[in-house]
Amino acid sequence: MGSTSFGIPEHRFGSNGEKMPVLGFGTTVFPPVGAEATKMAILQLIKLGYRHFDTAAKYGSEQPLGEAIQEALSIGLIQSRDELFITTKLWCGDAHGDLVVPALKRSLQNLKLEYLDLFLIHWPVSCKPGTYEFPIKEENFLPMDFNSIWAAMEERQRLNLTKSIGVSNFSCKKLTDILAIANIPPAVNQVEMNPMWQQKKLREFCRANGIFLTAYSPLGANGTFWGSDRVLECEVLKEIAKAKGKTAAQVSLRWIYEQGVGVIVKSFNGERMKQNLGIFDWSLDEDELKKIDELAQSGGVTGVAYTSKCGPFRTVEDIWDGEM
Ligand code: NAP
């Protein structure tokens, strides 16, 4: 595995050997801080060495990310856009075969980029074309037509508008459905994963099928409306952290990395931005890994939150096919 000039290991995937820094920065910001603060935080992150940024049409962070990239280029923080790995996602209202192209072009325009590194289907459901409400109204849900959407995703990759394509929040069953029709298999599946929601079955499935898993809400999304403090307040993680002179957050991020999974973490706090980078020069020992492996699992924060608390999807089953 290679690494960025700041020492973040890079995962290689796809037929062209694309390189993804395994630690990426997430740009869903809660509570919202505004476009200027988001742009300034991203510039600070680039200065610190982050090179992989995760956004989505739905987050409202594509534009500030695009502006931050332009400024980083103009002040010489980076020499070329190619030094960055940029992911964005197709929202459910655009998850229709004929809307994929306009949606991707809109995202590229927001980001002021000519190509993406990775374009993901955000959730495995569609809603009424062109609707962007959140939560999604019951009457606006539609079944997803995997065939036409995945064909459009593949076409975008062939036209070099994105280097790779993938999915997010896909269960083993839904991945099986996509793999059955795909000419280009999904490079990535981005899902919630952390020590309290370890995704063992999905991890195994993705490894066996050459799909790189990336973990969102790696710290349990503490402080957001969809998350909780159960990762950062976990006694086992706190004990391991104390013994190693690290924080529970670093133990969680390091554990994910050691599972061969990518990490997308968010912090707009200068100290925590640095802290989250400090996970590559130490390791967890066998006993510590065993203790984490045995942690009681208590249901995905987002799977449950997005269904029960926020209700954009009718049931957890719609998304997870009984795999929660
Ligand atoms: P997260 O990264 O697990 O947690 C973020 C929260 O943890 C923030 O409130 C942050 O606060 C705090 N934090 C960060 N570093 C910390 C540290 N070292 N110590 C203590 N607290 C810390 O959750 P997330 O934002 O849900 O997930 C990360 C990214 O994944 C998102 O931004 C988004 O890009 C992506 N995501 C994708 C999906 C999807 O459906 N594909 C869903 C959810 C999220 P401060 O900012 O104050 O540090």
Side-chain angles (χ1 to χ4, degrees), residues 10 25-26 90 150 182:
E10 291 170 317
F25 187 84
L90 180 78
W150 196 252

Side-chain angles (χ1 to χ4, degrees), residues 54 168-169 190 217 219 222 226 266-268 272 275-276:
D54 179 80
S168 177
N169 298 299
Q190 185 188 109
S217 303
L219 306 178
N222 188 33
W226 59 92
K266 176 260 161 188
S267 175
F268 271 19
R272 293 193 282 273
Q275 190 193 112
N276 295 343

